[in-house]
Amino acid sequence: MHTFDEAAQAVISLAQFCSHKGWLPATSGNLSVLVERDPMKIAITRSGADKQRLQANDILCVDEHMQVQTDTVYRPSAETSVHIELYRKFSCGSILHVHTVFNNLVSELYGDEGAVAIHGHELLKALGHWEEDAEISIPIVPNYADLARLGQAVAEAARAEVPAVLVRNHGIYAWGDTPEAARRHLEAIEFLAEYVYRLGVARDIG
């Protein structure tokens, strides 16, 4: 586990990485790192924060009931419920939620199918799939306006063997045992989302 200060610094570092990639446009996205598992406490970005310019006071300590444990005027991310549901389901240590063009395109193209399948690609190794002809299926859930319902839908769709869920026309949640693992998983899946989309376009042209 981390101290809150350590977890908050990890969140800031993750935000800098994702912002550099262009994955957190405007004030979108939310990032968290586990502080304690029992009782649960997480460090998570506040609502409305510009992730490109995060300061220490932009990271809040929140319990499993989404109650802020730090003295602040800010509110936690509106999607804190999704993070809490994923931490409850898995023994993960960090969760990243970003909005990109390619994960939105793929979620819309395959949304009716409820998942997008990817097989035989080298980057699947970054997700722990080393077998030849490996295949994964990334779940896609509807973009529910009710965030408690969204959290339940993401957690229900999530599978341990694929550390990510796409939300249709919204973004992606990716997680890992550590902040570094969550970042690796997100980066790999973002690459794969772009690959799937561009491959589909190339086939349509061909």
Side-chain angles (χ1 to χ4, degrees):
M1 298 298 103
H2 302 81
T3 66
F4 172 71
D5 289 343
E6 290 169 341
Q9 186 53 55
V11 170
I12 291 171
S13 296
L14 289 165
Q16 290 171 341
F17 171 81
C18 293
S19 294
H20 181 73
K21 292 282 191 178
W23 294 347
L24 294 167
T27 60
S28 68
N30 34 81
L31 318 169
S32 71
V33 171
L34 186 69
V35 177
E36 296 178 16
R37 190 167 303 282
D38 187 17
M40 185 190 298
K41 290 182 182 177
I42 64 173
I44 191 166
T45 47
R46 70 171 177 87
S47 179
D50 183 346
K51 311 307 182 301
Q52 299 179 63
R53 300 176 178 84
L54 281 185
Q55 303 295 317
N57 63 354
D58 292 320
I59 314 301
L60 307 184
C61 185
V62 178
D63 68 16
E64 65 177 328
H65 305 294
M66 296 187 288
Q67 298 300 307
V68 178
Q69 303 297 298
T70 42
D71 184 17
T72 180
V73 299
Y74 295 127
R75 294 179 293 107
S77 166
E79 295 174 36
T80 298
S81 60
V82 186
H83 290 248
I84 295 297
E85 292 292 344
L86 287 170
Y87 281 118
R88 283 175 175 162
K89 182 167 184 175
F90 299 114
S91 60
C92 55
S94 182
I95 298 167
L96 312 179
H97 175 53
V98 303
H99 303 244
T100 74
V101 172
F102 288 108
N103 68 41
N104 271 258
L105 288 169
V106 167
S107 73
E108 175 60 17
L109 287 172
Y110 293 90
D112 290 344
E113 299 173 32
V116 53
I118 303 170
H119 65 273
H121 197 285
E122 178 69 14
L123 260 290
L124 294 179
K125 292 177 181 177
L127 306 176
H129 296 276
W130 288 79
E131 62 274 20
E132 190 172 347
D133 296 325
E135 181 171 348
I136 66 168
S137 182
I138 304 173
I140 303 170
V141 301
N143 184 20
Y144 295 115
D146 181 331
L147 295 178
R149 186 180 183 190
L150 178 63
Q152 293 171 354
V154 170
E156 288 173 3
R159 300 290 180 266
E161 63 271 17
V162 183
V165 172
L166 288 162
V167 181
R168 190 168 184 173
N169 282 327
H170 180 153
I172 187 171
Y173 287 90
W175 58 89
D177 290 343
T178 64
E180 295 77 15
R183 191 181 89 167
R184 181 178 72 252
H185 295 159
L186 176 62
E187 190 170 17
I189 293 171
E190 283 297 328
F191 180 96
L192 291 167
E194 182 173 354
Y195 167 78
V196 166
Y197 176 75
R198 291 188 183 275
L199 180 63
V201 170
R203 284 174 171 167
D204 288 344
I205 294 173

